[in-house]
Amino acid sequence: MATIAATPAHAHESHAHPTGFMSWMSTVDHKRIGTLYLFTALFFFLLGGLEAEIIRMQLQGPNGTLVSAETYNQLFTMHGTTMIFLAIMPLSAAFFNYLIPLQIGARDVAFPRLNAFSYWVYVLGGIFINLSWLLHAAPDGGWFGYAPLTTRAYSPGMNIDFWVLGLQILGVSSLAAGFNFITTIINMRAPGMNLMRMPMFTWAAFVVQFLIVLAFPVITIALVFLMFDRFFGTNFYTTAAGADPLLWQHLFWIFGHPEVYILILPAFGLVSDVLPAHTRKPIFGYPVMVFSLILIAFLGFGVWAHHMFAVGMGPIADTVFGLTTMLIAIPTGVKIFNWIATMHGGSIRFTTACLFCIALVAFFTIGGLSGVMHASPPADLQQTDTYFIVAHFHYVLFGGSMMGLFAGVYHYFPKITGRLLSERIGKWHFWLTAIGMNLTFFPMHMSGLLGMPRRIYRYDAGQGWDGFNLASSIGAYILAVGTLFLVWNIIKSLRSGTRAGNDPWGSPTLEWAIPSPPPEYNFARIPTVTSRYPLWDMKQPALTSEVPHSHRGDKEMEVAVGGKTVGHPHPGPAAQSTRVSESEMHIETETYTPAQVGIVLPDPTVKPFFVALGMVIMLGSPLFMHEAQIREIAGNAAGHRTAMTMFWIFVLGGAALMVGSLYNWLLTPLESDHH
Amino acid sequence: MTSVPLTAGHVPDAHDPHATSTGLDNKKIAIWAFIGSECMLFASLISTYLIYKGRSKVGPFPHETWTDPSTGHKFGAILNIPVTSASTFVLLMSSLAMVLALAAVQNKNIPKRTTSERILGSSQLWLLATAALGITFLGFQAYEFTSFVHEGLSIRTNLFGSSFFTLTGFHGAHVTAGVIWLLTLFAIDRKRGLGPRDEVNVDIAALYWHFVDVVWIAIFTLVYLIK
Ligand code: HEM
Ligand SMILES: [Cu+2]
């Protein structure tokens, strides 16, 4: 099969690109799933933002009266939970889904249906947790849900039930995606795409998947213990039975600190790919950028107790965890300097995407510095549980993760939809966000150092915090306006944005070698990769001539790794042409139907959706069990029976739906054999 | 007529393991990632058990006797090591059967001449044997759990009860999932025969099964044998 010449007759109906509701429900295409993740996560970002705005309205002045203490607890808990698990992680997942296969030159992820499953578990889990609002029983124990406080004895309502069950559901989504992406990156790379040629974002994604598959089981177990305590009366967190009140804190933070890197590394990866495109310079120190990612991930598992300095672990533990925490700032600092060096001497185009990258470098550094401050236990004892900590983690999460993700949105939106976002509206979005962010969170350093505790729903006047709180609230309103510009920009671009073409930014990596939006099959012909920046080799060879692992630089790299051949052997330097031969790297500008190019794609299927639905119903059903217990205590025997019946219907019904759909899925081949 | 001037070149076929970057099947990589993740799961469970060892306020206890001060009732040491040694042996044997099942699938197409070759080469026999040994192990566990409850140790009784039942219960759930997986493979084998092209599907089931077995060795040593 040398040349494919297909007649329209071959392009039968089923391969026309469908766009209806069912096509989204049944899609297994990583790009469409990525798009679903993107818009769902942006929705939850707005929801979490709304919760934050209410919090800031309440705290705008002393003795706020907008919400009650109970509602306030629910607001900050759901704000944190939503932003971390339903907004930032899924926004990162949107980019994992969309970009990993494109960046490594693959047709899809390793397990397309598992990918759809991850998405559906995420949406249904997000809906499940937020259903609690309808019962006025949203989770209220903080995003880290400290037990024993969250055990039945101290949190009798359904609030924590929603949280403990919902987080277990969301964990399944992240884990399934983790196995999928690890396999994809290890095993689906295009010929020549060796590990040291992978785009930085794919590297960051790769490292993050390891953090996910190793950290999430730990919180799963912590949550299982809490669930058993709450529903079956076990004693894991019952101090009266001898339980260790720190067990939860240890398990949670063994997950929790890797989790903060799960939140930030994807943004780091995005910036490391976006910045070179807009500064016209290869990333500075690619290998060091890769190794610092890996080092951060390793060290990230050894610092968890810096969240627990105040519990009295003793001088040795405090010292060790203080030191490891300070140590982790080194690889993090290396990345900051490398980004600065990447910009240095580049011809920077101050696009919105580029501005967000620069903002990450600046704001994340502030958050990193305050982090190093409370890495010292004596300093932390003053700062812990105050607004200083709130300032720290918002600089790293908003100033870091969100800035990076926004950079990714502006840079990749044209790839995803085929249309550019407006730079003019984008600048408004950027400047309002940058100003609003600093106005909101910088004063929190001060109110925190002046002693304002976290998680208070009102405060008395005259403690020196009033002005700082007002400033924070004004900043939050500015942020809200800025975010509206983003929403406007997206709607406007979807309607009438400028067509982007293959490569609007002159970027160097594979995803820009194909049309925007990419055809269903991604690459009509899988490229053979000869360099870290294949598109620059073809279009702008001057940009990469000195870079190891670029087309020309590979020779030098071979020497650098002790004569071991890396990638494809090249002819001697003299014979190296600046253009890569067409058979290796190529640019595709036309979109065909899969049949025209003879590519068989996986069949769409709703089975993953039903497996996810069954699982969520099953895992959510203990809510009825709690209701039954309440009725039993109230002496309502009939009500108790009804609730228990409901419980069994949901557990068994959900399990049947899950197992049935799962068998159906596993016994159906990925692609139909009619070819 | 649209004519697409593309040379098909290298179009990787998802079913051809040599089309992957490592030459390994995707499923093989995924199961290893999964097993890595499961290690953290069981590490958390086992550490909790060990941290809570000796912290229970009331008995019964795993290795020591206990007299209830309010009733004067005397409880023996709960763990029954001889019985659990037997169930451990059963689970170990199931791993052996699993190895034979995988080998039988891999060598499906080699002609079998003698009776012993036919027995060794029967994938159905060995899949079923593995599942049966797994079920026997679960039977032992059911017996153990019920006898503990009769002796007065439930999941609510004390920290030992909570952490012991949760840990071994999680392991039992993993064995159960494995048994269902094996029986499914057995059913497919009966229906259409598993051949070398199904090798990877049996291989990953075997990896899972051996992993669950190894976890049990850790649990048996740390929970039962070490006082
Ligand atoms: C230079 C690197 C960093 C250092 C040295 C550092 C250090 C710390 C320390 C010591 C604490 C505990 C403070 C306390 O509760 O008293 C803390 C809290 C926190 N950090 Fe960082 N951090 C760093 C980077 C990050 C990053 C990258 C993120 C997330 C993207 C992050 C997110 C958080 C969050 C969310 C908390 C508060 C958790 C809570 O109590 O709710 N940190 N950090
Ligand atoms: Cu931390």
Side-chain angles (χ1 to χ4, degrees), chain A residues 147-158:
Chain A
L149 181 64
T150 43
T151 56
R152 189 70 77 198
Y154 305 102
S155 299
M158 284 170 106

Side-chain angles (χ1 to χ4, degrees), chain A residues 2 4 6 179 183 186-187 189 213-214 217 225 232-236 240 242 244 247 525 592 596-597 663 671, chain B residues 2 4 6-8 15 20-22 24 26 29-30 34 37 40 48 52 55 57 155-156 158-159 162 166 180 184:
Chain A
I4 303 161
F179 306 136
T183 311
I186 291 183
N187 230 16
R189 282 167 287 127
V213 303
L214 296 177
F225 290 163
F232 307 132
T234 52
N235 304 308
F236 289 103
D244 184 345
L247 177 70
R525 198 150 46 86
Y592 306 102
Q596 282 175 315
V597 281
Y663 265 85
E671 302 136 2
Chain B
T2 21
V4 185
L6 282 170
T7 38
H15 303 300
T20 63
S21 311
T22 57
L24 294 170
N26 284 341
I29 307 226
F34 176 72
S37 188
M40 292 300 285
T48 303
Y52 277 174
R55 287 182 68 123
K57 290 267 168 70
I155 197 168
R156 302 168 175 219
N158 54 15
L159 289 179
S162 297
T166 307
I180 296 172
T184 307

Side-chain angles (χ1 to χ4, degrees), chain A residues 168-187:
Chain A
Q168 289 182 62
I169 294 169
L170 294 174
V172 173
S173 163
S174 302
L175 283 167
F179 306 136
N180 207 346
F181 291 132
I182 286 180
T183 311
T184 305
I185 297 174
I186 291 183
N187 230 16

Side-chain angles (χ1 to χ4, degrees), chain A residues 254-589:
Chain A
I254 288 173
F255 151 80
H257 193 86
E259 169 70 14
V260 306
Y261 289 107
I262 293 170
L263 296 167
I264 192 68
L265 295 186
F268 281 5
L270 282 170
V271 168
S272 307
D273 274 353
V274 175
L275 211 46
H278 295 268
T279 56
R280 330 291 307 143
K281 269 187 71 193
I283 192 82
F284 182 87
Y286 174 99
V288 178
M289 288 301 258
V290 169
F291 293 129
S292 60
L293 274 175
I294 298 172
L295 198 59
I296 288 175
F298 260 108
L299 292 175
F301 274 100
V303 300
W304 77 89
H306 64 212
H307 296 273
M308 302 167 59
F309 285 144
V311 304
M313 296 178 295
I316 295 182
D318 280 4
T319 312
V320 169
F321 282 102
L323 283 175
T324 52
T325 304
M326 291 176 196
L327 218 62
I328 215 170
I330 296 174
T332 315
V334 164
K335 300 192 86 69
I336 306 269
F337 285 115
N338 279 19
W339 288 318
I340 295 173
T342 304
M343 290 187 267
H344 176 78
S347 34
I348 306 183
R349 290 175 304 186
F350 290 98
T351 55
T352 312
C354 185
L355 288 174
F356 274 114
C357 290
I358 298 170
L360 176 142
V361 176
F363 303 160
F364 178 83
T365 305
I366 299 176
L369 287 177
S370 58
V372 179
M373 287 168 74
H374 41 241
S376 156
D380 183 61
L381 288 183
Q382 296 303 313
Q383 297 161 359
T384 192
D385 262 327
T386 72
Y387 262 83
F388 191 86
I389 303 302
V390 182
H392 159 68
F393 66 70
H394 281 94
Y395 266 91
V396 285
L397 286 171
F398 205 137
S401 307
M402 281 316 297
M403 295 295 146
L405 290 163
F406 283 146
V409 168
Y410 279 88
H411 189 73
Y412 283 108
F413 199 82
K415 179 51 62 185
I416 295 173
T417 65
R419 291 171 186 276
L420 290 155
L421 286 166
S422 151
E423 281 294 316
R424 199 169 44 84
I425 307 175
K427 295 279 160 52
W428 277 96
H429 172 217
F430 171 75
W431 284 110
L432 287 172
T433 303
I435 294 168
M437 206 227 83
N438 284 288
L439 189 56
T440 308
F441 301 116
F442 203 84
M444 291 184 184
H445 289 113
M446 269 82 93
S447 49
L449 287 180
L450 289 173
M452 179 169 170
R454 290 170 77 174
R455 299 181 171 160
I456 49 169
Y457 82 113
R458 49 163 56 165
Y459 53 91
D460 283 333
Q463 302 183 81
W465 316 332
D466 305 9
F468 294 126
N469 274 292
L470 182 61
S472 289
S473 292
I474 294 173
Y477 308 146
I478 297 178
L479 272 177
V481 178
T483 308
L484 291 181
F485 276 94
L486 173 67
V487 175
W488 178 29
N489 206 350
I490 289 177
I491 295 174
K492 185 160 175 285
S493 162
L494 288 176
R495 288 213 180 136
S496 60
T498 320
R499 294 275 172 195
N502 269 27
D503 179 15
W505 315 114
S507 302
T509 39
L510 283 188
E511 67 272 29
W512 303 99
I514 50 175
S516 318
E520 278 173 275
Y521 48 79
N522 296 355
F523 300 89
R525 198 150 46 86
I526 299 292
T528 296
V529 183
T530 52
S531 144
R532 197 176 282 157
Y533 290 132
L535 263 64
W536 280 357
D537 282 344
M538 291 179 73
K539 300 202 279 191
Q540 286 152 306
L543 292 179
T544 60
S545 51
E546 299 301 312
V547 184
H549 278 255
S550 65
H551 190 55
R552 283 179 158 200
D554 248 9
K555 266 282 167 245
E556 286 157 50
M557 195 61 191
E558 279 172 34
V559 179
V561 293
K564 186 170 171 285
T565 311
V566 183
H568 281 248
H570 291 291
Q576 277 185 18
S577 68
T578 47
R579 269 183 66 84
V580 180
S581 84
E582 282 300 319
S583 68
E584 289 177 325
M585 222 4 257
H586 62 281
I587 287 174
E588 296 174 10
T589 48

